Amino acid sequence: MSRDMVRIAVLGSTGSVGRGVLDVVSRNRDKFDVVSLSAWTSVKLLSAQARAVGASRIAVGPGGFSTADVPAGVAVTEGADALEALASDPDVDVVVNALVGASGLRPTVAAVAAGKRVALANKESLVAAGELVMRTASKTGAEIVPVDSEHSSLFRCLRGTPDAEVDSLVLTASGGPLRDRPLQEMSAAGLEEVLAHPTWNMGDKVTVDSASLANKAMEVIEAHWLFEMPFDRIEVLIHRESVVHSLVRLKDGSLLAHLGPPDMRVPIQYALSYPDVPENSFERCDLAELGALHFERVDARRYPCFSLLLGAGRKGGTSPAIAAAADEAAVAAFTAGFIGFGDIAVVIERTLESLRPTSSTDLQSILRADADARAVAEEITSGLTRSGVGPNGE
Ligand code: MG
């Protein structure tokens, strides 16, 4: 990578991580040059972003855009293939993958195959295709620098720590918006309540996944691949303040922790600048103001999605792709008001039961598993909707 300007592609630039990336860029105009941006539907915002940062290429979802919105001189491409082209663009050094769900998978594979640094915020890339992505990266020399706050913290704690000293990893979880809801009332949680995250401000999909802890199970799978850590050496603790983002347990019993404010721009800036750590003016953590930090074990009874996804991750092959696709379909149905919160776990469980996973981890097998799981999950979802087990149990 050139030591001058870092040339960046931001896939998913209108989402919360994408907007954070552009905020970091706007504070470091001398360091970063945004070459391209993408959004599936928010074309007006995308065009405004392209104008603001001077991007020369944008990719949008198929149809549904007016060239009148697009600034002069900006090349527009359409559809899923366009994302792969941006991800492997020779004029780009760092590909930020802030896409939601399995749509992020192929662009990650393309970027890694092209030897890019991938600033990875898309969880499904490693959940569904961790083996493939890491194998390809080791061939091409592509760097994967995590943007997820927990993995960014682990990455930083592990930087300079010899592997031989590391015993295990500890991921923290806020516990999500339903952490204090009585166990028997978990499944009936309404959309508004589920979307009210106590510490992080994120998109709907990841916020719902935080309430069910599906998000944390995916993060365990990501950590397993990113840091080559066996599953039984990755622990999850509920930590309601979201200040300790993760910890590394060393063999002598001591722990390394990485703390910071719950602000995604910190891991974003780190992934763009690594190995440098530029100064910024973001809010500082006032530990005296916080007073106390709390840690609790995960009560698995509260979070069936956590166990289902983690089980699929441990199984490997196409299992985690099936579980993640079922989760994505179920969360979409929940946010659209078709099924209840508790039904998300039902959809994942039944989808996993109906499909036979294979041990293949090539891209075609994973994409097929994803498509099959989505179809099965949608069938299960409409069955649940018809049987009226839906949102309010009516
Ligand atoms: Mg996270």
Side-chain angles (χ1 to χ4, degrees):
M1 188 185 299
S2 140
R3 295 303 302 157
D4 320 298
M5 297 282 273
V6 177
R7 302 168 302 171
I8 302 174
V10 189
L11 308 183
S13 64
T14 56
S16 69
V17 170
R19 295 195 307 270
V21 171
L22 297 189
D23 181 89
V24 168
V25 167
S26 71
R27 294 159 186 267
N28 297 275
R29 294 277 196 186
D30 55 327
K31 296 189 179 72
F32 304 124
D33 174 24
V34 176
V35 174
S36 54
L37 301 169
S38 91
W40 200 242
T41 52
S42 309
V43 181
K44 272 223 161 87
L45 175 56
L46 178 70
S47 298
Q49 289 179 332
R51 200 172 285 118
V53 298
S56 56
R57 291 155 223 187
I58 60 175
V60 298
F65 75 97
S66 153
T67 43
D69 292 333
V70 178
V74 173
V76 189
T77 47
E78 268 184 69
D81 293 346
L83 297 176
E84 285 173 88
L86 295 189
S88 53
D89 185 344
D91 292 338
V92 162
D93 305 306
V94 176
V95 176
V96 179
N97 187 340
L99 298 164
V100 178
S103 66
L105 184 55
R106 285 169 55 202
T108 294
V109 172
V112 167
K116 307 293 186 194
R117 172 182 296 180
V118 183
L120 190 61
N122 173 261
K123 287 174 206 284
E124 286 76 1
S125 295
L126 287 177
V127 170
E131 205 266 335
L132 170 70
V133 168
M134 298 313 287
R135 176 161 36 92
T136 310
S138 73
K139 265 190 226 152
T140 61
E143 289 176 301
I144 298 168
V145 186
V147 168
D148 212 340
S149 60
E150 294 80 358
H151 305 81
S152 178
S153 284
L154 289 170
F155 193 90
R156 297 178 79 155
C157 287
L158 291 168
R159 185 176 166 190
T161 306
D163 288 352
E165 293 179 17
V166 175
D167 175 67
S168 55
L169 308 177
V170 183
L171 294 174
T172 57
S174 69
L178 306 182
R179 61 193 183 189
D180 294 320
R181 201 177 165 91
L183 173 63
Q184 60 278 15
E185 291 171 24
M186 285 290 280
S187 63
L191 182 60
E192 204 173 309
E193 193 182 349
V194 169
L195 291 182
H197 198 281
T199 51
W200 291 99
N201 184 8
M202 307 177 290
D204 288 358
K205 165 70 165 55
V206 64
T207 304
V208 176
D209 281 345
S210 294
S212 71
L213 243 61
N215 181 59
K216 206 51 56 177
M218 290 199 227
E219 291 184 355
V220 171
I221 302 170
E222 284 183 280
H224 163 76
W225 290 112
L226 267 177
F227 306 115
E228 294 180 70
M229 189 59 67
F231 281 105
D232 55 10
R233 287 166 59 197
I234 307 173
E235 187 186 340
V236 175
L237 287 178
I238 304 281
H239 164 50
R240 39 185 66 226
E241 290 83 10
S242 296
V243 166
V244 178
H245 298 311
S246 275
L247 305 96
V248 173
R249 204 182 279 283
L250 300 177
K251 285 188 176 156
D252 65 359
S254 62
L255 293 154
L256 298 175
H258 182 253
L259 286 69
D263 183 341
M264 282 308 291
R265 293 174 303 175
V266 177
I268 288 168
Q269 177 185 292
Y270 187 78
L272 298 180
S273 314
Y274 168 81
D276 300 334
V277 182
E279 212 175 315
N280 63 39
S281 57
F282 305 155
E283 197 190 335
R284 267 35 186 173
C285 235
D286 186 337
L287 292 175
E289 171 86 9
L290 267 166
L293 299 172
H294 299 83
F295 298 92
E296 303 153 51
R297 286 186 213 294
V298 174
D299 178 353
R301 293 170 309 165
R302 297 178 67 81
Y303 302 108
C305 294
F306 177 77
S307 310
L308 287 165
L309 274 147
L310 199 52
R314 283 173 174 272
K315 209 165 184 188
T318 56
S319 278
I322 292 169
D327 177 61
E328 203 177 332
V331 169
F334 169 66
T335 48
F338 295 133
I339 62 171
F341 180 72
D343 293 332
I344 297 172
V346 175
V347 172
I348 300 171
E349 186 168 30
R350 291 192 193 160
T351 307
L352 282 166
E353 282 166 4
S354 339
L355 288 168
R356 187 198 292 265
T358 71
S359 59
S360 318
T361 53
D362 61 283
L363 187 58
Q364 285 322 309
S365 306
I366 291 161
L367 293 174
R368 196 175 317 123
D370 174 85
D372 290 349
R374 228 162 267 272
V376 169
E378 274 158 22
E379 223 169 274
I380 295 167
T381 299
S382 48
L384 288 171
T385 311
R386 272 198 307 278
S387 67
V389 192
N392 305 311
E394 288 160 13

